[in-house]
Amino acid sequence: MEHFVRILNFNNRFVNLQLIQTSSIFLQNISAETKRYYLLSHGFLNKLIAFPFNFYDEELVDIYISFLKSLALLLNSNSIQFFYNQKNRHFPLLLMAQKFAHHPETMVRNAVRIINLTIFKINDKQLNEEVLADMPFCLSFVHLACQLRETCNGIDKSYPTQNIINKL
């Protein structure tokens, strides 16, 4: 796995895309939980998550967000510890997902919501107290409510209510 980190540092777009895809497929296809925990316990995945990729590349964003979502869907109350650095109160999986919360592409925003809800669903007491109570993560729900309001207002404006009232 450490070889992957060295490969990342070459900063080759095609190699990085392949590395993210391969890591995602590899993790999804491991059926034995102990083997999955072994792979999750290495810091490589957190390094891959926090790596400063060129996010102006839309293909890379799509693959990266899918990777984050697949990682989030693997989380449970035991495996979440591998993605949370207690010493620094740092949770790269959630932090990087939040950076795409306002992405123009709907698929990316939906994946970020799935990541958030999956992590919040675990309801780990220590994580809730130390990380999720922090303002940037709490604000994700406020932003979601505002987006819902805007969508409802847009639907309301586009629906011709005046015609229905005149017909009555």
Side-chain angles (χ1 to χ4, degrees), residues 6-165:
R6 273 183 265 164
I7 292 170
L8 276 176
N9 289 325
F10 291 139
N11 216 7
N12 180 312
R13 176 189 181 272
F14 299 107
V15 172
N16 288 351
L17 285 170
Q18 191 62 49
L19 187 62
I20 295 168
Q21 282 181 323
T22 303
S23 299
S24 182
I25 292 167
F26 188 61
L27 286 169
Q28 289 174 5
N29 289 311
I30 295 176
S31 57
E33 197 167 328
T34 53
K35 291 177 184 176
R36 188 179 304 141
Y37 281 1
Y38 177 76
L39 288 174
L40 294 175
S41 68
H42 290 342
F44 161 72
L45 291 174
N46 283 329
K47 290 177 184 175
L48 183 60
I49 293 167
F51 189 80
F53 293 107
N54 175 11
F55 291 120
Y56 292 109
D57 181 351
E58 286 299 317
E59 183 181 7
L60 187 127
V61 169
D62 291 343
I63 291 170
Y64 181 78
I65 285 296
S66 294
F67 169 68
L68 293 183
K69 186 174 98 175
S70 66
L71 281 176
L73 293 173
L74 292 174
L75 293 180
N76 59 35
S77 56
N78 295 323
S79 62
I80 199 164
Q81 66 184 336
F82 301 129
F83 295 95
Y84 173 56
N85 182 334
Q86 291 177 344
K87 182 180 177 185
N88 299 332
R89 291 182 53 181
H90 187 67
F91 195 6
L93 178 61
L94 188 59
L95 185 65
M96 291 305 292
Q98 287 304 116
K99 290 185 178 189
F100 296 95
H102 301 291
H103 195 273
E105 194 173 320
T106 304
M107 189 267 318
V108 173
R109 288 193 313 270
N110 287 339
V112 169
R113 291 177 190 137
I114 291 168
I115 293 166
N116 286 340
L117 292 173
T118 303
I119 291 170
F120 294 145
K121 174 182 80 172
I122 294 171
N123 203 17
D124 182 81
K125 186 179 189 295
Q126 184 177 9
L127 188 68
N128 289 347
E129 290 173 358
E130 295 181 13
V131 176
L132 302 182
D134 199 9
M135 283 306 286
F137 301 122
C138 290
L139 287 177
S140 66
F141 289 107
V142 174
H143 292 298
L144 180 59
C146 290
Q147 283 180 328
L148 255 155
R149 182 194 63 214
E150 290 172 14
T151 302
C152 289
N153 285 339
I155 291 170
D156 190 41
K157 289 178 184 175
S158 68
Y159 191 72
T161 56
Q162 191 62 33
N163 292 338
I164 293 172
I165 293 172

